[in-house]
Amino acid sequence: MRTPNTNDTKCLRFCLSRYFSLLILMLCIGVVQAQVPSEPTNLVATGINTGGMIQFTAPTSDGGSAITNYEYSTDNGSTWITPSLAITSSPLIFSSGLTNCTSYQIKIRAVNAAGSGTESSAVQLIPVPSVNMGVNWTLRTSASNNDWNSVTYGNGLFVAVSSTGTSDRVMTSPDGITWTAQISAADNEWNSVTYGNGKFVAVSQSGNGNRVMTSEDGITWTARASAADNGWRSVTYGNGLFVAVAFTGNGNRVMTSPDGINWTARSSAADNYWSSVTYGNGLFVAVAQSGNGGLVMTSPDGINWTSSSSVDDYNWNSVTYGNGLFVAVSSSETGNQVMTSPDGITWTAQKVANRGYWVSVTYSNGLFVAVSSDLFGNTAIISPDGINWSNGAFPVTSLWSSVTYGNGIFVVVSNRGNGTK
């Protein structure tokens, strides 16, 4: 057997040196990649009944690994609670475990594959029994017993529109509590109202050349000519454009306007019964109650529309966008009643504990809220993520038709009732 010479020994030492250098380098890289997230910032705490909602800005660094949950502490960081249903974005909502009217010092921290990250600064939270968003509702008196079909909020004012009444098919309120009748531009069947670009815009399913009306203050309204005398069902505003959809018309069931005054007819993806349109994440999304082909259509500009398939082909009444998700609700008696999509194209069915005739959904203040026309005896459902839903309860049963949020409260209107719409 050959005896190793000096050169062999040097070669072996060199190879071992390189090996350990590479091993140390790889370990160091692994340590860098396994860092925990930095701290969440800009915490805002809102007390609810025996719990709270914490809105926050995500950490500037996720440590090189995706954030999988947010833990929270109610005692200034002494102990930590991990939500069983993972929270991966603002807000963090917990609805039990605290004592009302008691002050808590709340901290949160992000979690990734490496572990729990740097804790945030503390923020005070005081749970209060009077605030239980989307769950407890107070009855208010409408300006008149009209059939109120839609409500919106803008410029410090709630505005609702109606399909019945004589020269009073608009009502307004600065606080959602006290309502005042306003003179509508015409006694049309006003189905939907929105606010954008400093203007309220409403659309109607009836009228002769005047199926749009606009107002800068919600009080004084002016009739406008729609692109066609279609049955206009819903209007929204996004990306500098008003977009309306209709349930009647021949290849022209969409119209757009940059100012709410001058409207242009657009080709819808199909001549379906389009019931609702919204804007989010750079995309207009509309849903239909019935029709041929996909009951969803999308458009990046409000002009060119593409069909998409819903999870079931019937009765999608309303769609909204919030927290990175499109959410649509249905009045179907047999099929799925909620569906969600991150992109407006691919949809997933979601379960609702109790069935309802869900006709309107909105998102604000960390919650999706949907309301029902009470066909099944249920009136409201709420969800922080569009996936997990719980029940709310209205003081009376009614044909609740539309829900919106503004000035710190959710407001719902009805198209049936006796002074309680």
Side-chain angles (χ1 to χ4, degrees):
M1 184 176 72
R2 186 175 70 87
T3 302
N5 58 31
T6 303
N7 290 334
D8 290 332
T9 303
K10 290 181 178 179
C11 181
L12 178 61
R13 289 175 178 174
F14 176 78
C15 290
L16 289 173
S17 174
R18 291 294 301 272
Y19 171 80
F20 284 112
S21 296
L22 288 172
L23 180 61
I24 292 171
L25 178 61
M26 291 174 67
L27 290 172
C28 289
I29 292 174
V31 170
V32 172
Q33 290 178 338
Q35 293 295 309
V36 297
S38 58
E39 73 277 7
T41 57
N42 301 322
L43 272 65
V44 176
T46 302
I48 62 177
N49 190 35
T50 69
M53 178 180 72
I54 314 301
Q55 296 169 292
F56 59 90
T57 300
T60 56
S61 171
D62 62 7
S65 178
I67 293 173
T68 57
N69 209 344
Y70 282 92
E71 299 173 326
Y72 66 95
S73 170
T74 61
D75 54 12
N76 202 34
S78 295
T79 59
W80 290 87
I81 299 169
T82 302
S84 57
L85 178 64
I87 303 295
T88 57
S89 63
S90 177
L92 189 158
I93 299 175
F94 46 96
S95 57
S96 63
L98 303 185
T99 302
N100 288 333
C101 302
T102 301
S103 177
Y104 294 87
Q105 293 297 309
I106 305 296
K107 290 184 176 182
I108 67 173
R109 63 189 184 187
V111 180
N112 67 5
S116 301
T118 305
E119 63 189 47
S120 69
S121 298
V123 63
Q124 178 178 274
L125 171 72
I126 301 177
V128 288
S130 60
V131 179
N132 206 335
M133 293 176 295
V135 176
N136 298 322
W137 301 79
T138 302
L139 204 61
R140 307 298 182 183
T141 301
S142 56
S144 57
N145 287 333
N146 295 348
D147 292 343
W148 301 104
N149 294 321
S150 179
V151 62
T152 194
Y153 181 83
N155 197 28
L157 196 70
F158 291 98
V159 173
V161 295
S162 169
S163 55
T164 63
T166 303
S167 299
D168 63 346
R169 300 191 180 193
V170 176
M171 67 175 177
T172 60
S173 173
D175 56 11
I177 300 170
T178 303
W179 293 83
T180 303
Q182 309 295 349
I183 299 174
S184 50
D187 282 349
N188 295 345
E189 296 175 84
W190 301 104
N191 281 328
S192 180
V193 61
T194 194
Y195 181 83
N197 196 26
K199 192 182 276 93
F200 293 97
V201 174
V203 296
S204 168
Q205 70 181 52
S206 66
N208 187 9
N210 62 346
R211 298 193 181 192
V212 177
M213 65 176 175
T214 65
S215 173
E216 294 185 357
D217 58 9
I219 299 170
T220 302
W221 292 82
T222 303
R224 309 293 183 183
S226 54
D229 280 350
N230 294 346
W232 300 106
R233 184 62 185 270
S234 178
V235 62
T236 193
Y237 180 83
N239 197 29
L241 197 69
F242 291 97
V243 174
V245 296
F247 60 89
T248 65
N250 186 12
N252 61 346
R253 298 191 184 191
V254 176
M255 65 176 178
T256 64
S257 172
D259 56 12
I261 300 171
N262 302 288
W263 292 84
T264 302
R266 308 294 183 184
S267 297
S268 50
D271 280 349
N272 291 341
Y273 190 116
W274 299 108
S275 54
S276 180
V277 62
T278 193
Y279 180 82
N281 196 28
L283 196 70
F284 290 96
V285 174
V287 296
Q289 289 185 2
S290 60
N292 297 316
L295 296 190
V296 178
M297 64 176 177
T298 63
S299 173
D301 56 12
I303 299 170
N304 302 289
W305 292 83
T306 302
S307 288
S308 295
S309 296
S310 56
V311 296
D312 282 316
D313 283 344
Y314 37 76
N315 291 358
W316 296 105
N317 294 317
S318 181
V319 63
T320 193
Y321 180 83
N323 198 25
L325 202 67
F326 291 97
V327 173
V329 295
S330 169
S331 56
S332 166
E333 296 184 35
T334 58
N336 295 290
Q337 292 201 305
V338 174
M339 64 176 179
T340 61
S341 173
D343 57 10
I345 299 170
T346 302
W347 294 82
T348 302
Q350 308 296 347
K351 294 182 179 179
V352 179
N354 293 319
R355 303 190 68 80
Y357 199 87
W358 309 113
V359 294
S360 179
V361 62
T362 193
Y363 177 86
S364 199
N365 207 23
L367 281 181
F368 291 97
V369 175
V371 298
S372 170
S373 283
D374 198 44
L375 180 66
F376 295 94
N378 300 302
T379 49
I381 48 176
I382 61 174
S383 173
D385 56 11
I387 299 169
N388 301 281
W389 295 83
S390 57
N391 293 326
F394 291 159
V396 297
T397 58
S398 188
L399 293 179
W400 303 107
S401 55
S402 179
V403 58
T404 195
Y405 180 88
N407 196 29
I409 60 172
F410 288 96
V411 171
V412 180
V413 296
S414 168
N415 56 24
R416 182 183 68 185
N418 185 18
T420 57
K421 298 183 181 183

